[in-house]
Amino acid sequence: MDNHDNKGSISATKASVHHSPISEHFQDSFPLFINRWEEGFHLKEHDHAYLEIVYVMTGQGYHYIGEQIEHITKGSIYIVPVGTSHILRPRDTSSKNKLIVYNLCIHPNFISHLKSLLMPFIQDNEFFPELSGKPGTYIALVDRGLDLSLWFDQLYREYTEKRLGYETSMFGILLQVMTHLIRLTTPNVHATSTEKLQGNGSVGFSAIIAYIDSHATEPLKLEQLASRINMSTRNFIRLFRKATGMGFSDYMQLKRIEFACRLLYSTDEKISYIALTAGYKDLGHFRKIFRKLMGVNPNEYRKNRAGTD
């Protein structure tokens, strides 16, 4: 996590900053707005009278925010407070490298409403402190496992389709998103004594599961994971099966295919690239495992999901 205060070694070239008022996205009483936007070179640097959470779905580019210029890619997340100026640019003008983001905007009054409603039931000393940044600051995170992509997809669908109960659904998803974000900013903050980071670098078992979920596309080894919590490989395997209901290899395959499904759903990347990104060097093996778990091949999955739009 990066919590910046506009003192950086790289300065963005400043120009006139457009101010986006509340009325730009909030014409009625509903306090949430979300769009799916392809970034280009025509928008001007701007700030908002509302909180914005930016989630990069695909592509690469640069984020000019505050006084910084930062490289962004899939899974980049920015929490942009009221009054922080920023602009996103794609890496280039190539149609193969589209920078597509979700912009989730939250009315500032809604944050105080949430706080007054939920604080009596929350043990945290602060209520989502990430939501109350000062103008000129921001928080930068990376969703390495693309765990948030499905939630942003669902938020967007609920908002655009406006089916019965979409408001309640969006509120519920927002709380899930914010909980995930606060866990990214303060990992293990509420871990038990056996789960907290130890002096020798070991972590508890539940933290290991979370680590695997976020790094499933990488070449993880049982022995190394077990050693992180000072556990024998045999005992690790036993506890892992008890916690997940499956063996380590099957769990890894499931998480990798889930990751591939997100990319198939939200990007136009080639199947070979998605297979490699998900951790499969052998395209044929990827197709075999994908069909086994999903019941269809990757191309069919992409076509079926596209048909739901």
Short mmCIF file of all heavy atoms in Angstrom, two decimals, residues 112-171:
data_model
loop_
_atom_site.label_atom_id
_atom_site.label_comp_id
_atom_site.label_asym_id
_atom_site.label_seq_id
_atom_site.Cartn_x
_atom_site.Cartn_y
_atom_site.Cartn_z
N SER A 112 -20.68 9.24 6.01
CA SER A 112 -21.05 9.58 7.39
C SER A 112 -22.29 8.79 7.83
O SER A 112 -22.40 8.38 8.99
CB SER A 112 -21.29 11.08 7.54
OG SER A 112 -22.33 11.52 6.68
N HIS A 113 -23.23 8.56 6.90
CA HIS A 113 -24.41 7.75 7.22
C HIS A 113 -24.00 6.33 7.56
O HIS A 113 -24.50 5.74 8.54
CB HIS A 113 -25.38 7.75 6.04
CG HIS A 113 -26.06 9.06 5.79
ND1 HIS A 113 -26.37 9.92 6.79
CD2 HIS A 113 -26.47 9.64 4.63
CE1 HIS A 113 -26.96 10.99 6.28
NE2 HIS A 113 -27.03 10.85 4.97
N LEU A 114 -23.10 5.76 6.76
CA LEU A 114 -22.63 4.40 7.03
C LEU A 114 -21.95 4.32 8.39
O LEU A 114 -22.15 3.37 9.15
CB LEU A 114 -21.64 3.98 5.94
CG LEU A 114 -22.18 3.21 4.73
CD1 LEU A 114 -21.03 2.83 3.81
CD2 LEU A 114 -22.94 1.97 5.15
N LYS A 115 -21.14 5.32 8.67
CA LYS A 115 -20.40 5.33 9.93
C LYS A 115 -21.35 5.34 11.12
O LYS A 115 -21.18 4.57 12.07
CB LYS A 115 -19.48 6.55 9.97
CG LYS A 115 -18.60 6.60 11.21
CD LYS A 115 -17.63 7.77 11.12
CE LYS A 115 -16.71 7.79 12.34
NZ LYS A 115 -15.72 8.90 12.26
N SER A 116 -22.35 6.20 11.09
CA SER A 116 -23.29 6.30 12.20
C SER A 116 -24.11 5.02 12.34
O SER A 116 -24.48 4.63 13.45
CB SER A 116 -24.23 7.50 12.01
OG SER A 116 -25.01 7.36 10.84
N LEU A 117 -24.36 4.34 11.21
CA LEU A 117 -25.16 3.12 11.25
C LEU A 117 -24.38 1.92 11.77
O LEU A 117 -24.88 1.12 12.56
CB LEU A 117 -25.69 2.82 9.84
CG LEU A 117 -26.49 1.52 9.67
CD1 LEU A 117 -27.78 1.59 10.47
CD2 LEU A 117 -26.79 1.27 8.19
N LEU A 118 -23.11 1.80 11.35
CA LEU A 118 -22.35 0.58 11.62
C LEU A 118 -21.41 0.66 12.81
O LEU A 118 -21.04 -0.37 13.38
CB LEU A 118 -21.56 0.19 10.38
CG LEU A 118 -22.38 -0.15 9.13
CD1 LEU A 118 -21.45 -0.49 7.97
CD2 LEU A 118 -23.32 -1.31 9.40
N MET A 119 -20.99 1.86 13.21
CA MET A 119 -20.00 1.99 14.27
C MET A 119 -20.38 1.26 15.56
O MET A 119 -19.51 0.67 16.21
CB MET A 119 -19.72 3.46 14.56
CG MET A 119 -18.62 4.05 13.69
SD MET A 119 -17.02 3.25 13.93
CE MET A 119 -16.60 3.80 15.57
N PRO A 120 -21.66 1.26 15.98
CA PRO A 120 -22.00 0.56 17.23
C PRO A 120 -21.72 -0.94 17.18
O PRO A 120 -21.63 -1.58 18.22
CB PRO A 120 -23.50 0.84 17.40
CG PRO A 120 -23.74 2.09 16.63
CD PRO A 120 -22.82 2.01 15.46
N PHE A 121 -21.56 -1.48 15.96
CA PHE A 121 -21.39 -2.92 15.82
C PHE A 121 -19.98 -3.31 15.37
O PHE A 121 -19.71 -4.48 15.10
CB PHE A 121 -22.41 -3.46 14.81
CG PHE A 121 -23.81 -3.00 15.08
CD1 PHE A 121 -24.38 -1.98 14.33
CD2 PHE A 121 -24.56 -3.57 16.10
CE1 PHE A 121 -25.67 -1.54 14.58
CE2 PHE A 121 -25.85 -3.15 16.36
CZ PHE A 121 -26.40 -2.13 15.60
N ILE A 122 -19.08 -2.33 15.25
CA ILE A 122 -17.74 -2.60 14.74
C ILE A 122 -16.73 -2.38 15.85
O ILE A 122 -16.76 -1.38 16.56
CB ILE A 122 -17.42 -1.68 13.54
CG1 ILE A 122 -18.37 -2.00 12.38
CG2 ILE A 122 -15.98 -1.84 13.09
CD1 ILE A 122 -18.17 -1.12 11.17
N GLN A 123 -15.81 -3.34 16.00
CA GLN A 123 -14.82 -3.25 17.06
C GLN A 123 -13.62 -2.39 16.68
O GLN A 123 -12.82 -2.02 17.53
CB GLN A 123 -14.34 -4.66 17.42
CG GLN A 123 -15.44 -5.56 17.99
CD GLN A 123 -14.94 -6.95 18.31
OE1 GLN A 123 -13.77 -7.26 18.12
NE2 GLN A 123 -15.84 -7.78 18.80
N ASP A 124 -13.49 -2.10 15.38
CA ASP A 124 -12.35 -1.29 14.95
C ASP A 124 -12.39 0.10 15.60
O ASP A 124 -13.46 0.66 15.85
CB ASP A 124 -12.35 -1.11 13.43
CG ASP A 124 -12.22 -2.43 12.70
OD1 ASP A 124 -11.60 -3.35 13.26
OD2 ASP A 124 -12.72 -2.52 11.57
N ASN A 125 -11.22 0.65 15.84
CA ASN A 125 -11.15 2.00 16.41
C ASN A 125 -11.63 3.05 15.42
O ASN A 125 -12.15 4.09 15.79
CB ASN A 125 -9.72 2.32 16.85
CG ASN A 125 -9.30 1.45 18.03
OD1 ASN A 125 -10.12 1.11 18.87
ND2 ASN A 125 -8.03 1.10 18.08
N GLU A 126 -11.43 2.76 14.14
CA GLU A 126 -11.86 3.70 13.11
C GLU A 126 -12.75 2.98 12.11
O GLU A 126 -12.62 1.78 11.90
CB GLU A 126 -10.65 4.30 12.38
CG GLU A 126 -9.78 5.19 13.22
CD GLU A 126 -8.71 5.87 12.39
OE1 GLU A 126 -9.05 6.81 11.63
OE2 GLU A 126 -7.56 5.45 12.48
N PHE A 127 -13.63 3.72 11.50
CA PHE A 127 -14.52 3.15 10.48
C PHE A 127 -13.94 3.42 9.11
O PHE A 127 -13.95 4.55 8.63
CB PHE A 127 -15.91 3.76 10.59
CG PHE A 127 -16.85 3.32 9.50
CD1 PHE A 127 -17.53 2.12 9.61
CD2 PHE A 127 -17.03 4.09 8.36
CE1 PHE A 127 -18.39 1.71 8.61
CE2 PHE A 127 -17.89 3.69 7.36
CZ PHE A 127 -18.57 2.49 7.48
N PHE A 128 -13.38 2.38 8.49
CA PHE A 128 -12.82 2.49 7.14
C PHE A 128 -12.04 3.80 6.97
O PHE A 128 -12.45 4.69 6.22
CB PHE A 128 -13.92 2.40 6.09
CG PHE A 128 -14.58 1.06 6.00
CD1 PHE A 128 -15.94 0.97 5.76
CD2 PHE A 128 -13.85 -0.10 6.14
CE1 PHE A 128 -16.57 -0.27 5.67
CE2 PHE A 128 -14.47 -1.34 6.06
CZ PHE A 128 -15.83 -1.43 5.83
N PRO A 129 -10.93 3.96 7.65
CA PRO A 129 -10.18 5.23 7.56
C PRO A 129 -9.76 5.57 6.14
O PRO A 129 -9.51 6.73 5.82
CB PRO A 129 -8.96 4.98 8.46
CG PRO A 129 -8.83 3.48 8.54
CD PRO A 129 -10.24 2.97 8.49
N GLU A 130 -9.71 4.55 5.25
CA GLU A 130 -9.35 4.80 3.86
C GLU A 130 -10.33 5.74 3.17
O GLU A 130 -10.02 6.35 2.15
CB GLU A 130 -9.28 3.48 3.08
CG GLU A 130 -8.14 2.58 3.48
CD GLU A 130 -8.42 1.84 4.78
OE1 GLU A 130 -9.56 1.87 5.25
OE2 GLU A 130 -7.48 1.25 5.33
N LEU A 131 -11.54 5.85 3.72
CA LEU A 131 -12.57 6.67 3.08
C LEU A 131 -12.48 8.15 3.45
O LEU A 131 -13.23 8.96 2.92
CB LEU A 131 -13.96 6.15 3.47
CG LEU A 131 -14.32 4.73 3.01
CD1 LEU A 131 -15.73 4.38 3.46
CD2 LEU A 131 -14.19 4.59 1.52
N SER A 132 -11.58 8.49 4.36
CA SER A 132 -11.56 9.87 4.85
C SER A 132 -10.21 10.55 4.63
O SER A 132 -9.72 11.26 5.50
CB SER A 132 -11.92 9.89 6.35
OG SER A 132 -11.06 9.03 7.08
N GLY A 133 -9.62 10.32 3.47
CA GLY A 133 -8.35 10.95 3.16
C GLY A 133 -8.49 12.44 2.92
O GLY A 133 -9.55 12.95 2.55
N LYS A 134 -7.39 13.16 3.12
CA LYS A 134 -7.38 14.61 2.91
C LYS A 134 -7.14 14.95 1.44
O LYS A 134 -6.54 14.16 0.71
CB LYS A 134 -6.30 15.25 3.78
CG LYS A 134 -6.50 15.07 5.28
CD LYS A 134 -5.37 15.72 6.05
CE LYS A 134 -5.58 15.55 7.56
NZ LYS A 134 -4.46 16.15 8.34
N PRO A 135 -7.60 16.10 0.98
CA PRO A 135 -7.33 16.53 -0.40
C PRO A 135 -5.83 16.50 -0.69
O PRO A 135 -5.02 16.94 0.12
CB PRO A 135 -7.89 17.95 -0.44
CG PRO A 135 -8.95 17.97 0.61
CD PRO A 135 -8.44 17.07 1.70
N GLY A 136 -5.47 15.99 -1.85
CA GLY A 136 -4.08 15.90 -2.23
C GLY A 136 -3.43 14.57 -1.90
O GLY A 136 -2.36 14.24 -2.40
N THR A 137 -4.08 13.77 -1.04
CA THR A 137 -3.57 12.44 -0.70
C THR A 137 -4.31 11.39 -1.50
O THR A 137 -5.33 11.66 -2.15
CB THR A 137 -3.72 12.15 0.80
OG1 THR A 137 -5.11 12.02 1.12
CG2 THR A 137 -3.10 13.26 1.63
N TYR A 138 -3.85 10.16 -1.44
CA TYR A 138 -4.53 9.03 -2.07
C TYR A 138 -3.92 7.75 -1.53
O TYR A 138 -2.87 7.75 -0.88
CB TYR A 138 -4.41 9.07 -3.59
CG TYR A 138 -2.98 8.98 -4.11
CD1 TYR A 138 -2.43 7.77 -4.49
CD2 TYR A 138 -2.20 10.13 -4.23
CE1 TYR A 138 -1.13 7.70 -4.97
CE2 TYR A 138 -0.90 10.07 -4.71
CZ TYR A 138 -0.37 8.84 -5.08
OH TYR A 138 0.92 8.77 -5.54
N ILE A 139 -4.60 6.64 -1.78
CA ILE A 139 -4.09 5.32 -1.40
C ILE A 139 -4.00 4.48 -2.67
O ILE A 139 -4.97 4.39 -3.43
CB ILE A 139 -4.99 4.64 -0.36
CG1 ILE A 139 -4.93 5.40 0.96
CG2 ILE A 139 -4.58 3.19 -0.14
CD1 ILE A 139 -5.84 4.85 2.04
N ALA A 140 -2.85 3.87 -2.89
CA ALA A 140 -2.63 3.00 -4.05
C ALA A 140 -2.44 1.57 -3.56
O ALA A 140 -1.64 1.31 -2.65
CB ALA A 140 -1.39 3.46 -4.83
N LEU A 141 -3.18 0.64 -4.16
CA LEU A 141 -3.11 -0.77 -3.80
C LEU A 141 -3.01 -1.62 -5.06
O LEU A 141 -3.24 -1.13 -6.17
CB LEU A 141 -4.36 -1.19 -3.01
CG LEU A 141 -4.63 -0.44 -1.70
CD1 LEU A 141 -6.06 -0.70 -1.23
CD2 LEU A 141 -3.64 -0.85 -0.63
N VAL A 142 -2.70 -2.89 -4.88
CA VAL A 142 -2.68 -3.83 -6.01
C VAL A 142 -3.46 -5.07 -5.62
O VAL A 142 -3.17 -5.72 -4.61
CB VAL A 142 -1.24 -4.22 -6.38
CG1 VAL A 142 -1.26 -5.20 -7.56
CG2 VAL A 142 -0.42 -2.99 -6.76
N ASP A 143 -4.46 -5.40 -6.41
CA ASP A 143 -5.25 -6.62 -6.23
C ASP A 143 -4.61 -7.72 -7.08
O ASP A 143 -5.05 -7.99 -8.19
CB ASP A 143 -6.70 -6.35 -6.66
CG ASP A 143 -7.60 -7.55 -6.50
OD1 ASP A 143 -7.29 -8.42 -5.66
OD2 ASP A 143 -8.61 -7.63 -7.23
N ARG A 144 -3.56 -8.35 -6.55
CA ARG A 144 -2.74 -9.27 -7.34
C ARG A 144 -3.52 -10.47 -7.84
O ARG A 144 -3.27 -11.00 -8.91
CB ARG A 144 -1.52 -9.71 -6.54
CG ARG A 144 -0.63 -8.54 -6.13
CD ARG A 144 0.67 -9.01 -5.50
NE ARG A 144 1.44 -7.88 -4.99
CZ ARG A 144 2.15 -7.07 -5.74
NH1 ARG A 144 2.21 -7.25 -7.05
NH2 ARG A 144 2.81 -6.05 -5.20
N GLY A 145 -4.47 -10.94 -7.05
CA GLY A 145 -5.27 -12.09 -7.47
C GLY A 145 -6.52 -11.72 -8.24
O GLY A 145 -7.32 -12.59 -8.59
N LEU A 146 -6.70 -10.44 -8.53
CA LEU A 146 -7.91 -9.92 -9.20
C LEU A 146 -9.18 -10.36 -8.47
O LEU A 146 -10.22 -10.60 -9.07
CB LEU A 146 -7.95 -10.37 -10.67
CG LEU A 146 -6.82 -9.86 -11.56
CD1 LEU A 146 -7.08 -10.26 -13.01
CD2 LEU A 146 -6.67 -8.35 -11.46
N ASP A 147 -9.07 -10.47 -7.13
CA ASP A 147 -10.22 -10.90 -6.34
C ASP A 147 -11.38 -9.91 -6.41
O ASP A 147 -12.54 -10.28 -6.29
CB ASP A 147 -9.80 -11.08 -4.88
CG ASP A 147 -8.70 -12.12 -4.72
OD1 ASP A 147 -8.89 -13.24 -5.20
OD2 ASP A 147 -7.65 -11.81 -4.12
N LEU A 148 -11.06 -8.63 -6.58
CA LEU A 148 -12.10 -7.61 -6.59
C LEU A 148 -12.79 -7.45 -7.94
O LEU A 148 -13.82 -6.78 -8.02
CB LEU A 148 -11.50 -6.25 -6.19
CG LEU A 148 -11.13 -6.09 -4.71
CD1 LEU A 148 -10.32 -4.82 -4.52
CD2 LEU A 148 -12.37 -6.06 -3.84
N SER A 149 -12.24 -8.06 -8.97
CA SER A 149 -12.78 -7.83 -10.31
C SER A 149 -14.23 -8.26 -10.43
O SER A 149 -15.05 -7.57 -11.04
CB SER A 149 -11.92 -8.55 -11.36
OG SER A 149 -11.94 -9.95 -11.17
N LEU A 150 -14.58 -9.40 -9.84
CA LEU A 150 -15.96 -9.88 -9.94
C LEU A 150 -16.91 -8.99 -9.18
O LEU A 150 -18.06 -8.79 -9.60
CB LEU A 150 -16.04 -11.32 -9.42
CG LEU A 150 -15.31 -12.37 -10.25
CD1 LEU A 150 -15.49 -13.76 -9.64
CD2 LEU A 150 -15.79 -12.37 -11.69
N TRP A 151 -16.46 -8.43 -8.06
CA TRP A 151 -17.32 -7.52 -7.29
C TRP A 151 -17.57 -6.23 -8.06
O TRP A 151 -18.69 -5.72 -8.06
CB TRP A 151 -16.70 -7.22 -5.93
CG TRP A 151 -16.91 -8.32 -4.94
CD1 TRP A 151 -17.89 -9.27 -4.95
CD2 TRP A 151 -16.11 -8.61 -3.81
NE1 TRP A 151 -17.74 -10.13 -3.89
CE2 TRP A 151 -16.67 -9.74 -3.17
CE3 TRP A 151 -14.96 -8.03 -3.26
CZ2 TRP A 151 -16.12 -10.30 -2.01
CZ3 TRP A 151 -14.42 -8.57 -2.11
CH2 TRP A 151 -15.00 -9.68 -1.49
N PHE A 152 -16.53 -5.71 -8.71
CA PHE A 152 -16.74 -4.51 -9.52
C PHE A 152 -17.63 -4.80 -10.73
O PHE A 152 -18.46 -3.98 -11.12
CB PHE A 152 -15.41 -3.91 -9.95
CG PHE A 152 -14.79 -3.01 -8.93
CD1 PHE A 152 -13.94 -3.52 -7.96
CD2 PHE A 152 -15.08 -1.66 -8.90
CE1 PHE A 152 -13.37 -2.69 -7.00
CE2 PHE A 152 -14.54 -0.82 -7.95
CZ PHE A 152 -13.68 -1.34 -6.99
N ASP A 153 -17.45 -5.98 -11.31
CA ASP A 153 -18.34 -6.39 -12.40
C ASP A 153 -19.79 -6.41 -11.93
O ASP A 153 -20.69 -5.92 -12.62
CB ASP A 153 -17.97 -7.80 -12.90
CG ASP A 153 -16.69 -7.82 -13.71
OD1 ASP A 153 -16.32 -6.76 -14.26
OD2 ASP A 153 -16.07 -8.89 -13.81
N GLN A 154 -20.02 -6.99 -10.76
CA GLN A 154 -21.38 -7.09 -10.25
C GLN A 154 -21.95 -5.74 -9.88
O GLN A 154 -23.13 -5.45 -10.14
CB GLN A 154 -21.42 -8.03 -9.04
CG GLN A 154 -22.84 -8.37 -8.59
CD GLN A 154 -22.87 -9.42 -7.50
OE1 GLN A 154 -21.85 -10.02 -7.16
NE2 GLN A 154 -24.04 -9.63 -6.92
N LEU A 155 -21.12 -4.87 -9.29
CA LEU A 155 -21.58 -3.51 -9.00
C LEU A 155 -22.04 -2.81 -10.27
O LEU A 155 -23.10 -2.16 -10.29
CB LEU A 155 -20.45 -2.71 -8.35
CG LEU A 155 -20.25 -2.84 -6.85
CD1 LEU A 155 -18.94 -2.18 -6.43
CD2 LEU A 155 -21.42 -2.25 -6.07
N TYR A 156 -21.25 -2.96 -11.32
CA TYR A 156 -21.58 -2.30 -12.58
C TYR A 156 -22.87 -2.86 -13.17
O TYR A 156 -23.72 -2.11 -13.66
CB TYR A 156 -20.43 -2.48 -13.56
CG TYR A 156 -20.66 -1.85 -14.91
CD1 TYR A 156 -20.65 -0.47 -15.05
CD2 TYR A 156 -20.90 -2.63 -16.04
CE1 TYR A 156 -20.87 0.13 -16.29
CE2 TYR A 156 -21.11 -2.05 -17.27
CZ TYR A 156 -21.10 -0.67 -17.39
OH TYR A 156 -21.32 -0.09 -18.62
N ARG A 157 -23.04 -4.18 -13.12
CA ARG A 157 -24.26 -4.80 -13.66
C ARG A 157 -25.49 -4.36 -12.87
O ARG A 157 -26.53 -4.05 -13.44
CB ARG A 157 -24.13 -6.32 -13.63
CG ARG A 157 -23.20 -6.88 -14.70
CD ARG A 157 -23.03 -8.38 -14.55
NE ARG A 157 -22.22 -8.90 -15.63
CZ ARG A 157 -22.69 -9.31 -16.79
NH1 ARG A 157 -23.99 -9.25 -17.03
NH2 ARG A 157 -21.89 -9.78 -17.73
N GLU A 158 -25.36 -4.35 -11.55
CA GLU A 158 -26.49 -3.94 -10.72
C GLU A 158 -26.88 -2.49 -11.04
O GLU A 158 -28.05 -2.16 -11.15
CB GLU A 158 -26.13 -4.08 -9.23
CG GLU A 158 -25.97 -5.50 -8.74
CD GLU A 158 -27.31 -6.23 -8.60
OE1 GLU A 158 -28.36 -5.63 -8.87
OE2 GLU A 158 -27.28 -7.41 -8.22
N TYR A 159 -25.88 -1.64 -11.19
CA TYR A 159 -26.15 -0.22 -11.42
C TYR A 159 -26.76 0.03 -12.80
O TYR A 159 -27.65 0.87 -12.94
CB TYR A 159 -24.86 0.59 -11.27
CG TYR A 159 -25.09 2.08 -11.31
CD1 TYR A 159 -25.56 2.76 -10.20
CD2 TYR A 159 -24.83 2.80 -12.48
CE1 TYR A 159 -25.77 4.13 -10.24
CE2 TYR A 159 -25.05 4.18 -12.53
CZ TYR A 159 -25.52 4.83 -11.41
OH TYR A 159 -25.74 6.18 -11.46
N THR A 160 -26.26 -0.67 -13.81
CA THR A 160 -26.75 -0.42 -15.16
C THR A 160 -28.09 -1.12 -15.44
O THR A 160 -28.93 -0.58 -16.17
CB THR A 160 -25.72 -0.87 -16.20
OG1 THR A 160 -25.35 -2.24 -15.97
CG2 THR A 160 -24.47 -0.01 -16.13
N GLU A 161 -28.29 -2.30 -14.87
CA GLU A 161 -29.53 -3.04 -15.13
C GLU A 161 -30.67 -2.58 -14.23
O GLU A 161 -31.84 -2.67 -14.60
CB GLU A 161 -29.29 -4.54 -14.95
CG GLU A 161 -28.31 -5.12 -15.97
CD GLU A 161 -27.99 -6.58 -15.71
OE1 GLU A 161 -28.60 -7.17 -14.77
OE2 GLU A 161 -27.13 -7.13 -16.42
N LYS A 162 -30.32 -2.15 -13.01
CA LYS A 162 -31.31 -1.63 -12.06
C LYS A 162 -32.49 -2.58 -11.87
O LYS A 162 -33.66 -2.17 -11.91
CB LYS A 162 -31.78 -0.24 -12.48
CG LYS A 162 -30.71 0.83 -12.31
CD LYS A 162 -31.24 2.21 -12.66
CE LYS A 162 -30.27 3.31 -12.25
NZ LYS A 162 -28.91 3.17 -12.78
N ARG A 163 -32.17 -3.84 -11.62
CA ARG A 163 -33.22 -4.80 -11.31
C ARG A 163 -33.73 -4.57 -9.89
O ARG A 163 -33.12 -3.86 -9.10
CB ARG A 163 -32.68 -6.22 -11.46
CG ARG A 163 -32.34 -6.59 -12.91
CD ARG A 163 -31.77 -7.99 -13.01
NE ARG A 163 -30.48 -8.07 -12.34
CZ ARG A 163 -29.83 -9.22 -12.15
NH1 ARG A 163 -30.38 -10.35 -12.55
NH2 ARG A 163 -28.66 -9.21 -11.54
N LEU A 164 -34.84 -5.21 -9.56
CA LEU A 164 -35.45 -5.06 -8.25
C LEU A 164 -34.43 -5.34 -7.15
O LEU A 164 -33.79 -6.39 -7.14
CB LEU A 164 -36.64 -6.01 -8.11
CG LEU A 164 -37.38 -5.97 -6.76
CD1 LEU A 164 -38.05 -4.61 -6.57
CD2 LEU A 164 -38.41 -7.10 -6.70
N GLY A 165 -34.26 -4.39 -6.24
CA GLY A 165 -33.35 -4.57 -5.12
C GLY A 165 -31.90 -4.25 -5.42
O GLY A 165 -31.03 -4.56 -4.61
N TYR A 166 -31.65 -3.59 -6.54
CA TYR A 166 -30.25 -3.33 -6.91
C TYR A 166 -29.55 -2.44 -5.89
O TYR A 166 -28.35 -2.56 -5.66
CB TYR A 166 -30.18 -2.70 -8.30
CG TYR A 166 -30.47 -1.22 -8.37
CD1 TYR A 166 -29.44 -0.28 -8.29
CD2 TYR A 166 -31.77 -0.76 -8.53
CE1 TYR A 166 -29.71 1.09 -8.35
CE2 TYR A 166 -32.05 0.60 -8.59
CZ TYR A 166 -31.01 1.52 -8.51
OH TYR A 166 -31.27 2.86 -8.56
N GLU A 167 -30.31 -1.53 -5.25
CA GLU A 167 -29.69 -0.64 -4.28
C GLU A 167 -29.11 -1.43 -3.10
O GLU A 167 -27.96 -1.23 -2.69
CB GLU A 167 -30.72 0.38 -3.75
CG GLU A 167 -31.37 1.22 -4.83
CD GLU A 167 -32.73 0.65 -5.26
OE1 GLU A 167 -32.92 -0.58 -5.10
OE2 GLU A 167 -33.58 1.43 -5.71
N THR A 168 -29.93 -2.34 -2.55
CA THR A 168 -29.47 -3.16 -1.43
C THR A 168 -28.29 -4.02 -1.83
O THR A 168 -27.32 -4.17 -1.07
CB THR A 168 -30.61 -4.04 -0.91
OG1 THR A 168 -31.73 -3.24 -0.56
CG2 THR A 168 -30.18 -4.85 0.30
N SER A 169 -28.36 -4.58 -3.03
CA SER A 169 -27.26 -5.41 -3.52
C SER A 169 -25.97 -4.61 -3.61
O SER A 169 -24.89 -5.07 -3.20
CB SER A 169 -27.61 -6.00 -4.88
OG SER A 169 -26.54 -6.78 -5.39
N MET A 170 -26.05 -3.39 -4.14
CA MET A 170 -24.86 -2.56 -4.28
C MET A 170 -24.28 -2.17 -2.92
O MET A 170 -23.05 -2.14 -2.74
CB MET A 170 -25.18 -1.31 -5.10
CG MET A 170 -25.43 -1.60 -6.58
SD MET A 170 -25.61 -0.08 -7.55
CE MET A 170 -23.93 0.58 -7.51
N PHE A 171 -25.14 -1.88 -1.95
CA PHE A 171 -24.64 -1.55 -0.62
C PHE A 171 -23.88 -2.74 -0.03
O PHE A 171 -22.82 -2.57 0.58
CB PHE A 171 -25.79 -1.16 0.31
CG PHE A 171 -26.49 0.11 -0.07
CD1 PHE A 171 -27.83 0.31 0.23
CD2 PHE A 171 -25.81 1.12 -0.75
CE1 PHE A 171 -28.48 1.49 -0.11
CE2 PHE A 171 -26.44 2.30 -1.10
CZ PHE A 171 -27.79 2.48 -0.79
#
